[in-house]
Amino acid sequence: MKIDYLSLKKVTAMHRDEIMDAVARVVDSGRYLQGAANARFEHDYASYVGTRHCVGCGNGLDALTLIFRAYIQMGVMCPGDEVIVPANTYIASILAVTENGLRPVLVEPEIGTLEIDGRLIEQAVTEKTRAILLVHLYGRNAWTPYIADLCARKHLKLIEDNAQAQGCAVCSPFTAHRPQRADVVPGPMANGDGALPPGRLPSHIDETPAPARDDLSVMTYESRRTGSLGDAAAHSFYPGKNLGALGDGGAVTTDDDELAQVVRALGNYGSKEKYVFSYLGRNSRLDEIQAAVLDVKLKYLDDDNRRRKQIANYYYTNIAHPKVVLPGIDAWREARPVPDGEGCRDESSVYHIFPVLCPDRDRLQEHLKACGIGTMIHYPIPPHRQECYRDWHSSRLPVTEQIHRTELSIPCNQTMTDAEAEYVCRCINAFRP
């Protein structure tokens, strides 16, 4: 049996006809930037995530960079301020911080989840800390009520790197008011005068407002998606993501009206109005073709994630090798509806990546390759060991380094069959170091 780690061709083929029709409409429209497709996708994605604003941009790194740059323009942060970041992350998370002259403070992950260790965050906070950057790595939620409370107590911005977790939802007690989906504000279309498109754009997503609550201080359980849990979030639509374009793409989601306005201007050369430049900006815009493709695929994101979860559930149940550790298995076992009976479930992950840890990682990878199974390593070198951050080479981050020495990503995506998942488990269990 031959199993690719991820076949983008197969992913695209699932909705090829709709994608081709959407692309054709953009081509025929003659409008290829900042048009109707962007406005529609921004509206629909904001509604899906549960925020007032979505601002499309060129890629996920730009999205995160623009958030920090906007906060600096707004006077919320200054170069030299500190941002707490997970030591175990893709380097883009840290590049966005240093590009803005901010200082990353690396915090170790929990070995059981591979996400930032909330117990270590508070001791890393100093008088110069301005934000905590959560990375929902591998598609797994990294938010906790404790981290949210810490940000509130310390007056810190909570920023999410949601590049790998589109559609992930967390069920927890929330007390803060969240705007309903009917409050979503569509982004402006660049029609020369900066005017908003008339009326509400049609959407395929149910926007029925939740019942209003008179007492917003009453703690209730509700499900919220990553990307809406903090002050702002960056999203990547790189082709291999759970919601992937046919090229690069990204977005910022937020409930902050001013932040959304500044991010949009910064990504449009610093311009709020044509030929008038308020900021030293850059060119980072989501093109119309990618927006149209993403809007098609957004309709199927929950179903695709559901299939990923089915594959992951099979792995958790059937991989049984003494040298192969399955991070997140405890969270998977504990995920359940809350007692209020409303069906609110903490799913913990959308399994963008299914990582396993093995001390004989390289030999396991070779074994699976011989079985015809594609794998990847996320990531072979941790950020603090990269040449571009050579000043950090003396840092001691043993948990992060252990993860990067032993991590192997096995296939887990919506195109897989039950037989392929069974074959992966059988081959892993047959591994002899």
Side-chain angles (χ1 to χ4, degrees):
M1 189 177 289
K2 176 73 164 62
I3 304 174
D4 294 327
Y5 175 73
L6 174 66
S7 170
L8 294 179
K9 186 175 180 179
K10 287 183 179 179
V11 170
T12 302
M14 294 175 69
H15 313 298
R16 184 182 184 279
D17 291 344
E18 283 188 73
I19 289 171
M20 295 298 287
D21 288 345
V23 170
R25 285 194 296 272
V26 172
V27 172
D28 292 342
S29 75
R31 184 63 175 272
Y32 308 129
L33 277 173
Q34 296 182 296
N38 251 276
R40 184 175 296 107
F41 173 69
E42 287 183 348
H43 172 272
D44 289 349
Y45 193 61
S47 179
Y48 176 84
V49 170
T51 56
R52 282 180 51 79
H53 300 279
C54 170
V55 181
C57 53
N59 53 68
L61 174 57
D62 278 1
L64 196 54
T65 302
L66 290 171
I67 289 172
F68 287 114
R69 187 163 297 183
Y71 276 132
I72 290 173
Q73 291 289 342
M74 294 162 61
V76 175
M77 300 177 191
C78 297
D81 285 344
E82 295 176 353
V83 178
I84 292 175
V85 299
N88 179 41
T89 187
Y90 183 56
I91 198 168
S93 308
I94 298 173
L95 288 173
V97 177
T98 57
E99 184 173 331
N100 283 290
L102 301 166
R103 179 174 174 266
V105 177
L106 306 183
V107 172
E108 286 268 66
E110 293 185 65
I111 195 63
T113 65
L114 312 186
E115 306 295 334
I116 193 168
D117 190 337
R119 299 167 299 179
L120 302 178
I121 293 178
E122 188 159 7
Q123 60 191 264
V125 174
T126 73
E127 61 182 14
K128 292 187 68 65
T129 305
R130 296 293 177 268
I132 295 174
L133 173 59
L134 286 184
V135 182
H136 303 298
L137 202 64
Y138 315 113
R140 182 175 293 139
N141 166 57
W143 180 95
T144 67
Y146 171 79
I147 293 174
D149 178 69
L150 175 63
C151 287
R153 286 189 287 110
K154 301 290 186 179
H155 306 290
L156 304 175
K157 292 296 182 183
L158 180 57
I159 300 168
E160 299 173 80
D161 182 338
N162 199 50
Q164 298 185 1
Q166 299 95 337
C168 187
V170 58
C171 183
S172 186
F174 293 100
T175 55
H177 170 64
R178 304 295 301 176
Q180 304 302 331
R181 290 181 176 182
D183 296 331
V184 171
V185 178
M189 292 162 52
N191 56 11
D193 58 8
L196 290 172
R200 290 181 55 77
L201 291 167
S203 173
H204 47 253
I205 299 175
D206 179 19
E207 297 181 24
T208 305
R213 295 197 301 269
D214 294 330
D215 183 2
L216 294 176
S217 66
V218 175
M219 184 174 292
T220 60
Y221 282 91
E222 58 181 343
S223 182
R224 281 167 43 193
R225 297 191 191 275
T226 56
S228 72
L229 303 174
D231 295 285
H235 306 255
S236 169
F237 305 124
Y238 179 79
K241 305 298 187 185
N242 291 33
L243 179 62
L246 300 186
D248 267 328
V252 172
T253 55
T254 183
D255 288 331
D256 187 325
D257 297 346
E258 182 183 5
L259 179 70
Q261 183 183 59
V262 176
V263 165
R264 190 178 296 280
L266 285 169
N268 189 36
Y269 300 97
S271 173
K272 295 180 182 178
E273 180 183 350
K274 196 170 184 177
Y275 300 133
V276 178
F277 303 93
S278 303
Y279 312 105
L280 297 174
R282 65 200 302 171
N283 178 14
S284 181
R285 298 174 295 196
L286 182 65
D287 73 66
E288 286 288 281
I289 288 177
Q290 303 306 338
V293 169
L294 290 167
D295 210 45
V296 169
K297 296 178 75 174
L298 179 61
K299 295 185 292 183
Y300 302 101
L301 178 57
D302 285 344
D303 286 340
D304 290 347
N305 286 342
R306 193 171 297 114
R307 180 56 182 166
R308 286 174 177 264
K309 292 171 187 175
Q310 289 172 352
I311 300 296
N313 290 344
Y314 191 86
Y315 287 163
Y316 281 132
T317 304
N318 291 281
I319 293 177
H321 192 289
K323 285 201 169 186
V324 177
V325 176
L326 307 181
I329 191 168
D330 290 338
W332 171 75
R333 287 169 174 157
E334 293 171 3
R336 58 190 181 278
V338 296
D340 63 9
E342 295 179 359
C344 182
R345 184 179 177 89
D346 187 342
E347 297 289 0
S348 80
S349 182
V350 290
Y351 301 100
H352 170 62
I353 293 168
F354 193 98
V356 301
L357 303 182
C358 178
D360 296 302
R361 185 261 310 279
D362 294 345
R363 293 180 64 186
L364 175 59
Q365 185 175 41
E366 285 300 315
H367 166 74
L368 293 177
K369 181 179 179 181
C371 294
I373 299 171
T375 60
M376 291 189 69
I377 297 173
H378 294 94
Y379 302 93
I381 305 173
H384 71 283
R385 294 297 188 197
Q386 297 287 351
E387 182 62 21
C388 60
Y389 290 124
R390 62 182 66 89
D391 291 345
W392 294 347
H393 284 189
S394 61
S395 300
R396 186 176 179 275
L397 297 165
V399 180
T400 295
E401 291 165 13
Q402 177 187 349
I403 291 168
H404 288 251
R405 281 195 310 271
T406 61
E407 192 276 341
L408 184 68
S409 304
I410 61 177
C412 184
N413 62 78
Q414 64 269 32
T415 71
M416 291 183 67
T417 66
D418 291 352
E420 288 173 331
E422 187 276 333
Y423 182 68
V424 170
C425 293
R426 181 152 41 93
C427 290
I428 290 176
N429 292 339
F431 173 54
R432 296 295 177 262

